Amino acid sequence: MAASFLGPLRALRVSLSPRHPAIAAARLAGCRYLGISHRLLGVAALQVLMPALSPTMEKGNIVKWMKKEGETVHVGDVLCEIETDKAVVSFDSSDDGVLAKILVEDGTKDVTLGSLIALLVAEGEDWTQVEIPTPVHTSSPAQTAAAAAVPTPFSSKAQYSAGKGEVRLSPAARQIVQTHGLEPSTTPPTGPRGIFTKEDALNMLKHKGTATTPRATSTAPVQPSLKVPQAVLGAPLYARPSTPPISIPGQPLAPGTFTDIPASNVRQVIARRLTESKSTIPHSYASIDCNIEEVLKTKTQLAQDDIKVSVNDFIIKAAAVTLKQMPDVNSTWSSEGPRQLGSIDISVAVATDRGLVTPIVQDAASKGIEEISIMVKVLAKKAKAGKLLPEEYQGGSFSISNLGMFGINEFIAVINPPQACILAIGRLRHDLAVSEDDDGNHSLFRKEMMMVTLSSDSRVVDDELASKFLENFRLNLENPTRLALF
């Protein structure tokens, strides 16, 4: 190989010399390795980047690669499964070729959008000689650790924490220590959980100034010294560990121990959006009692015809019909103001191991109760398995959250932005009421009641509009036959 490679180089050197044109032409004919050798130039690759599989996605986790290196890939084939901020979504290939190199392995977390995750080459090319671009920007754990190891301008914090006894400094104490060059490890901390506080730093600075400042005159009167208990000047009255105790798997937890639980992408997004909702949306709340005796009777009659539906299906239909009657409520908030939507899409809250997900029953007003029931069951199953498609959870004009099956009487739900309303459903309860017959006799009877609470965005739905919505919703729910008219 070396001899065959050196031969073309010598011929190239001769060809560049104008004194031997005939020899140059003959020898250049044997330069078969230059210009066509993949071993020298590499195979050009098509880059596969981390896609944005949801509108709010900023990073994702590579769950599993469905193709292996060297396998042929066609348009529409599933390359890998990616965990977004909503669900686990299949990433389909948009090109034909051969998967030449996987740059981000299974289980890699927090891969930023646009990061290079794989390389494809054209069919017929030598995929083993693929040219890997440098540098490759991925969010691998090794790179994260390397980035964390880069020193920061405030390196004194790390210096104090890694030194003697790992002293933990409060921000004010750290400023004093850095300014005056103090060594906090020489003084016992008095703060909670072994934190070196501002008072500790000031006392240390005071003692240092007393020890280093020369006396101005020897004629100064001597002040009588007070005997201070050692407990006041030294360590605190009770011992505090300089660092929190560490929990050991398989052993009982020591007092003060804790365990950090990593948050999934879904839970991080839920936390961020809930915080955004409560801090930016002016929530308003209104509640109403609904008598669902007729709903239960209709449900029983449908069960006799082998049509199995739930009370929640009637609630979804009643909400959709009410939104059709009151289109002003079927709105969202945008930067320009309220935006009325043409389609009534109901988001139904589903609890999963990854967090709360809200799949959407699209165009719910035009669907029958049985169709709504079938769709909700399919969406709930896919949500718990993390197999929802983006179009099955993105958007929505109105949300419903039902905790009645958990025995919750009533609760207040947080609005899912940019939506303007969410309806919170409590459990079925039995109330006693007094009835009077034609003769004036009074008797007790039982009512099947349910409390619903509407959380509304006051910028879109004011209190009067919210009250009218709840009133119409109750009329629709208490009369299931009205729902069949829509």
Side-chain angles (χ1 to χ4, degrees), residues 7-15 21-32:
L9 289 181
R10 294 192 187 99
L12 180 61
R13 184 174 64 249
V14 173
S15 68
I23 300 177
R27 293 190 176 182
L28 278 176
C31 296
R32 54 189 178 89

Side-chain angles (χ1 to χ4, degrees), residues 51-55 57 82-85 89-91 113 389-390 393-394:
L53 299 177
S54 73
M57 178 179 173
I82 297 176
E83 181 186 6
T84 69
D85 55 350
V89 182
S90 298
F91 176 35
L113 299 185
L389 299 177
Y393 59 79
Q394 294 177 7

Side-chain angles (χ1 to χ4, degrees), residues 49-240:
L49 305 180
M50 187 68 172
L53 299 177
S54 73
T56 57
M57 178 179 173
E58 297 178 357
K59 54 188 177 181
N61 303 335
I62 302 295
V63 178
K64 181 180 180 181
W65 282 94
M66 309 306 292
K67 293 288 186 179
K68 298 180 181 179
E69 293 182 358
E71 289 189 5
T72 302
V73 178
H74 299 287
V75 175
D77 288 353
V78 178
L79 286 177
C80 63
E81 292 183 343
I82 297 176
E83 181 186 6
T84 69
D85 55 350
K86 296 290 186 181
V88 177
V89 182
S90 298
F91 176 35
D92 299 337
S93 175
S94 57
D95 296 281
D96 294 328
V98 178
L99 183 58
K101 187 65 176 178
I102 295 176
L103 300 174
V104 181
E105 301 295 335
D106 295 351
T108 304
K109 298 183 179 297
D110 298 337
V111 182
T112 56
L113 299 185
S115 299
L116 185 60
I117 61 176
L119 297 173
L120 291 177
V121 298
E123 293 186 30
E125 297 284 355
D126 186 1
W127 63 271
T128 60
Q129 301 299 324
V130 64
E131 183 179 355
I132 301 178
T134 56
V136 179
H137 298 286
T138 59
S139 299
S140 62
Q143 289 180 338
T144 304
V150 176
T152 60
F154 301 95
S155 59
S156 56
K157 177 180 177 180
Q159 179 181 359
Y160 292 132
S161 63
K164 306 173 183 179
E166 294 190 2
V167 179
R168 301 166 62 201
L169 304 176
S170 68
R174 183 180 298 108
Q175 179 65 26
I176 297 174
V177 167
Q178 294 175 359
T179 303
H180 298 279
L182 304 178
E183 180 54 53
S185 61
T186 60
T187 302
T190 62
R193 301 180 66 84
I195 296 179
F196 194 91
T197 63
K198 176 182 177 182
E199 289 73 19
D200 296 331
L202 292 176
N203 291 334
M204 190 175 182
L205 182 61
K206 181 179 179 181
H207 290 309
K208 177 182 178 182
T210 305
T212 57
T213 303
R215 294 183 180 181
T217 176
S218 60
T219 60
V222 179
Q223 297 294 335
S225 59
L226 297 178
K227 187 174 182 180
V228 182
Q230 182 65 25
V232 176
L233 297 177
L237 295 177
Y238 56 92
R240 296 186 179 95

